[in-house]
Amino acid sequence: MWRSFLRSLRVRMALLLAAAVLTTVAAGLAVVWTFVIADDHVEGLASAQRRLELLSSLSGRVGDYALVAMQTTEAKGQPDRLSLPRKRVQETFVRLDEEIARAVVRSSDDEQATLIAARSRVLAQMRGRFDFLDRQALESIRDARLGQAGNVERLRTAMDTFAAAFGPSLSQAIEEERATANAAQAAMAELRAKLLPGAIGGVGLATLLALAAYRALARPLVSRISQVASAAADIARGRTDIRLPVRGHDELSLAMMRFNRMASQLARKEARLMAAQARLQEVIDERTAELRGANERLSDIDRARRRFFTDVSHELRTPLTVILGEADVTLRGKGDEAALTAALTTIRSRARRLHRRVEDLLRVARSESGQLELELEPVEIKDLLADVREAMEPAARARGIALVVDAGDFDLQVEADGDWMRQVIEGLVANALRHSTYGGTVRLIAGIDSADTVAVAVSDDGEGIAEADLPHVFERFYRGAQADRESSGFGIGLALARWVVERHSGSISLDSRTAAPGRAPGTTVTIRLPALAHRLVIGARS
């Protein structure tokens, strides 16, 4: 019965805990008892030391009082000079009374309490002698101030009488306190001598009990728990084939059986997890590649934006500087009408350029917010191209470039916002003019792309666009290898053109060639818009 009872881990742990609690309680009671006795001795020693310090301080303060009283009498000074020394002596007497009272209250021995109380009577006599000396000193000082002779000698005699009675009492009190302190030290030494063998014996007994409890109860349990911990560590390192040897029928044996079942389940789940992890890694690799590409594109866009705002600052500052300079010169000078007209012409030219830049920025802001109000109406392609040619012809002549317009033999018509489409085509022509060389040609060609599509192409014979830049030409603020050219623009023309064309349900594409053996360079931008089929009429060919 007892063997089966002791098989339970709960019973074993309860017995081990009970033994530990009993040992701890016994040790705690012994320590508390020791502390109580030691504290009583330590407090008695500390009280005696404090009284010794106060008695020593009293001797010095009484001496200071006597010295001040003698000096005041000889100098016929004010009696107030004795106030501070008197106060210090009286404070010392008060503190001594308090210490003796506390010692009497704390003492558990009636005989010892009676002896300590007897010191209070001695202290009262010493205090009475000091009060008598204080009255004599005040009388001597008062008589000296009234001009009576012999006061110094009389005070000195009084002090000698006081010293003859006060000194032995003070010495006796000091010796009694020293004896009390020595007695407290001797009691502590005696207590230490008594407790040391008991403490050593208690430690030895506790050690023997702990070893016996460990061998009988704890060691078998610790050994099996170590096996579980080692197996758990192996599983944590990935060895799911570990199994524990199960012996016995207690709670730990049941836990070890469940541990073995858990290890088997982990082995099966690990196999499924590895397969899922492999699939997940493939997905992560794909998404990481996509994210890396997106980050690179964002970095390119961010660099383009920073460069764009730098160029905007330069482009806006230059015409403003010229405008302000011309205005200042005109206002300071007294020139003729021709000089004033020239200044106003310069201001007007620079202001127009500034206005165009601001309009570009406004269009960019609208495109960023998605705001574009289109007024769709039938638009004749020939008329649209004629307006573009009229607006861009002066710029083409200034650059020495021929601007050729070919609208074909058809009356082409689309439904569009005429102002927006004119701005888009003018921007493409302006790009072509910037990238063409002197003596080159820019062609503006319109035609039928398919049964329901009208195509408008702007081509030049410039240096072409580098192959590395072609995938990015429609990105906002992208300027590519020509970013350092003063006339390269802000990198918003093609992006804005695509945005407007797509709002018209159309499309825009670019084809460019750089110079190569046997191949002429050039760039062609083509806009395709839905045609109004019922207005698509074939005209007479010339």
Side-chain angles (χ1 to χ4, degrees):
M1 177 179 178
W2 284 104
R3 291 182 178 179
S4 60
F5 182 72
L6 291 175
R7 287 178 181 175
S8 175
L9 288 179
R10 296 179 182 178
V11 174
R12 294 182 185 181
M13 296 303 296
L15 292 174
L16 185 61
L17 180 62
V21 168
L22 291 176
T23 304
T24 303
V25 169
L29 292 175
V31 170
V32 170
W33 176 74
T34 304
F35 281 166
V36 169
I37 297 176
D39 181 69
D40 184 60
H41 293 321
V42 170
E43 184 60 31
L45 177 61
S47 178
Q49 292 290 346
R50 288 194 295 269
R51 292 195 297 273
L52 276 173
E53 291 176 0
L54 289 173
L55 289 172
S56 299
S57 175
L58 178 63
S59 176
R61 291 182 176 183
V62 169
D64 293 341
Y65 173 86
L67 179 61
V68 173
M70 185 63 69
Q71 292 175 350
T72 304
T73 302
E74 292 174 351
K76 300 179 181 181
Q78 294 291 338
D80 294 342
R81 294 185 58 188
L82 293 178
S83 298
L84 181 59
R86 182 189 306 114
K87 181 179 179 182
R88 291 178 176 175
V89 173
Q90 291 174 348
E91 288 177 350
T92 306
F93 277 120
V94 171
R95 292 178 61 187
L96 279 170
D97 286 335
E98 293 175 351
E99 285 293 334
I100 291 174
R102 283 196 292 267
V104 171
V105 172
R106 188 178 58 254
S107 178
S108 59
D109 187 357
D110 294 338
E111 182 180 357
Q112 184 69 20
T114 302
L115 292 175
I116 296 175
R119 297 173 191 172
S120 180
R121 291 192 296 271
V122 175
L123 185 64
Q125 295 174 0
M126 295 167 62
R127 189 169 187 175
R129 292 188 182 98
F130 174 76
D131 291 340
F132 181 72
L133 176 64
D134 182 52
R135 290 194 297 271
Q136 289 180 322
L138 291 176
E139 291 176 0
S140 298
I141 293 172
R142 184 171 57 253
D143 293 342
R145 288 177 59 82
L146 294 176
Q148 297 181 7
N151 294 290
V152 175
E153 293 300 329
R154 186 175 60 186
L155 179 60
R156 184 176 289 111
T157 301
M159 288 184 178
D160 291 341
T161 303
F162 170 78
F166 186 84
S169 299
L170 180 61
S171 299
Q172 179 184 354
I174 292 175
E175 289 299 326
E176 290 177 351
E177 297 300 340
R178 286 176 179 171
T180 301
N182 292 333
Q185 289 179 346
M188 291 179 62
E190 183 181 359
L191 177 64
R192 183 169 57 251
K194 290 180 179 180
L195 291 178
L196 184 58
I200 295 175
V203 171
L205 179 60
T207 303
L208 291 176
L209 291 176
L211 289 174
Y214 175 78
R215 291 177 60 85
L217 301 175
R219 187 171 66 176
L221 180 61
V222 170
S223 177
R224 296 165 67 190
I225 292 177
S226 299
Q227 293 178 357
V228 175
S230 177
D234 290 337
I235 289 180
R237 289 192 291 268
R239 294 185 55 189
T240 56
D241 57 339
I242 296 297
R243 299 296 180 268
L244 291 173
V246 179
R247 294 185 297 272
H249 303 282
D250 55 12
E251 292 88 345
L252 185 56
S253 298
L254 180 61
M256 295 171 74
M257 293 173 60
R258 292 175 178 174
F259 182 91
N260 291 337
R261 287 198 296 270
M262 180 194 69
S264 301
Q265 294 174 358
L266 284 177
R268 292 192 295 269
K269 291 181 179 180
E270 183 182 17
R272 293 195 296 268
L273 181 61
M274 293 300 293
Q277 184 178 6
R279 293 193 297 271
L280 179 60
Q281 186 62 42
E282 294 177 359
V283 175
I284 290 175
D285 293 340
E286 295 176 0
R287 296 296 182 268
T288 301
E290 295 175 359
L291 182 60
R292 187 179 296 110
N295 287 336
E296 293 176 357
R297 291 192 295 272
L298 286 176
S299 298
D300 295 340
I301 292 174
D302 184 61
R303 286 193 297 269
R305 282 179 180 271
R306 290 197 298 267
R307 185 172 59 191
F308 165 75
F309 285 113
T310 301
D311 294 342
V312 165
S313 301
H314 175 73
E315 289 288 341
L316 296 183
R317 183 174 58 190
T318 301
L320 284 175
T321 302
V322 174
I323 290 172
L324 293 174
E326 291 291 336
D328 291 340
V329 171
T330 303
L331 290 174
R332 287 198 303 267
K334 298 181 180 180
D336 54 10
E337 183 177 356
L340 181 60
T341 300
L344 291 176
T345 300
T346 301
I347 291 174
R348 185 169 183 269
S349 173
R350 294 292 179 169
R352 282 182 173 179
R353 180 178 179 182
L354 181 60
H355 180 266
R356 287 194 299 271
R357 293 305 187 190
V358 172
E359 286 294 329
D360 289 342
L361 293 177
L362 180 60
R363 287 194 293 271
V364 171
R366 288 176 177 174
S367 67
E368 289 281 357
S369 61
Q371 298 176 355
L372 179 61
E373 297 179 1
L374 298 177
E375 296 182 2
L376 300 178
E377 58 182 0
V379 175
E380 295 287 346
I381 295 298
K382 284 186 177 181
D383 297 339
L384 180 62
L385 298 187
D387 292 340
V388 173
R389 179 173 186 173
E390 181 180 357
M392 302 303 298
E393 185 66 33
R397 286 198 303 268
R399 291 177 175 268
I401 298 172
L403 181 58
V404 177
V405 177
D406 183 4
D409 296 331
F410 299 93
D411 293 331
L412 306 176
Q413 191 179 61
V414 296
E415 187 176 23
D417 187 311
D419 290 337
W420 272 106
M421 292 308 302
R422 178 181 53 79
Q423 292 181 33
V424 168
I425 298 175
E426 286 180 359
L428 297 179
V429 173
N431 280 343
L433 293 176
R434 280 199 301 268
H435 296 287
S436 297
T437 58
Y438 185 85
T441 302
V442 172
R443 292 178 174 81
L444 185 57
I445 304 171
I448 301 173
D449 189 63
S450 63
D452 55 355
T453 304
V454 173
V456 178
V458 178
S459 63
D460 62 67
D461 53 4
E463 69 276 19
I465 300 174
E467 187 174 351
D469 295 331
L470 286 176
H472 308 287
V473 293
F474 287 104
E475 294 179 5
R476 198 180 301 272
F477 312 126
Y478 185 80
R479 297 168 64 190
Q482 297 177 341
D484 296 332
R485 288 182 48 176
E486 183 180 359
S487 61
S488 60
F490 291 155
I492 61 175
L494 289 176
L496 186 62
R498 183 175 66 174
W499 184 72
V500 173
V501 170
E502 289 178 350
R503 294 304 183 278
H504 283 81
S505 300
S507 64
I508 185 171
S509 60
L510 182 143
D511 179 50
S512 183
R513 307 170 306 279
T514 56
R519 184 181 66 184
T523 301
T524 301
V525 181
T526 305
I527 297 174
R528 295 176 176 84
L529 298 172
L532 291 177
H534 63 283
R535 297 297 303 275
L536 188 60
V537 181
I538 300 177
R541 290 183 179 272
S542 57

